[in-house]
Amino acid sequence: VTHLIQGIEPSSAVEPGKARFSLLTHIKELFAMRSEPNAEMSVLRGRLERHLANRRRAVANEIRLAAVVVEGRLHQVVLANARAEGWQATVESLRAKSVTGEVSFREISAAESESIAARSDALGRVLVWAKARVLLAKAQGMLGEDSFLP
């Protein structure tokens, strides 16, 4: 039983959506059903409780970290979008000035190039943010039905 407890890795569920702690919880219930007191069982029960507590803390920390990453990535998306909008406004302003001959075609082309690069960067940051959201959802799936997080 000790070998079984040490070899359990709750982060590798067989079926998506299943509680990842279900095997550990089931073993814990089996220990609780045993009627006669036994010193070895008490030691094993204590190890199992500590292992469960450690895994829950590790998973909770992983979720918190993933949530912070999602928030940071979203902030980067907002900044990249603002930069892209700024370059687009610059292009429109330069085009308006080009009618009167105040700016050259080269200046407009350079601004358009920057605008395209800024939009591309914003789109890339959206994809990175979406990936971070998937990783957060994956981390949240590591908690079973007996989740202790508020």
Side-chain angles (χ1 to χ4, degrees), residues 16-137:
K18 287 253 180 180
R20 301 209 185 231
F21 290 108
S22 61
L23 180 58
L24 289 174
T25 305
H26 183 67
I27 292 171
K28 181 180 163 185
E29 289 169 1
L30 288 175
F31 281 143
M33 290 183 347
R34 196 171 164 116
S35 59
E36 72 264 6
N38 182 335
E40 181 181 355
M41 290 300 285
S42 295
V43 169
L44 290 175
R45 188 177 295 119
R47 286 183 187 169
L48 179 60
E49 292 288 340
R50 285 189 299 279
H51 183 71
L52 275 170
N54 289 339
R55 282 302 299 152
R56 284 188 178 122
R57 277 192 295 277
V59 169
N61 287 336
E62 186 175 335
I63 291 170
R64 285 185 196 101
L65 177 61
V68 167
V69 169
V70 167
E71 186 177 338
R73 298 294 189 225
L74 182 58
H75 184 68
Q76 290 174 346
V77 167
V78 169
L79 292 175
N81 279 336
R83 181 174 171 259
E85 289 171 2
W87 275 110
Q88 187 59 39
T90 300
V91 167
E92 290 170 7
S93 171
L94 291 175
R95 283 185 183 152
K97 289 180 183 179
S98 73
V99 173
T100 60
E102 295 178 49
V103 295
S104 69
F105 176 75
R106 186 173 50 198
E107 290 174 301
I108 295 172
S109 294
E112 285 176 339
S113 177
E114 288 295 328
S115 177
I116 291 169
R119 286 189 307 226
S120 174
D121 179 55
L123 180 59
R125 296 198 185 264
V126 167
L127 295 175
V128 170
W129 170 69
K131 181 179 178 183
R133 289 184 60 207
V134 168
L135 294 175
L136 173 60

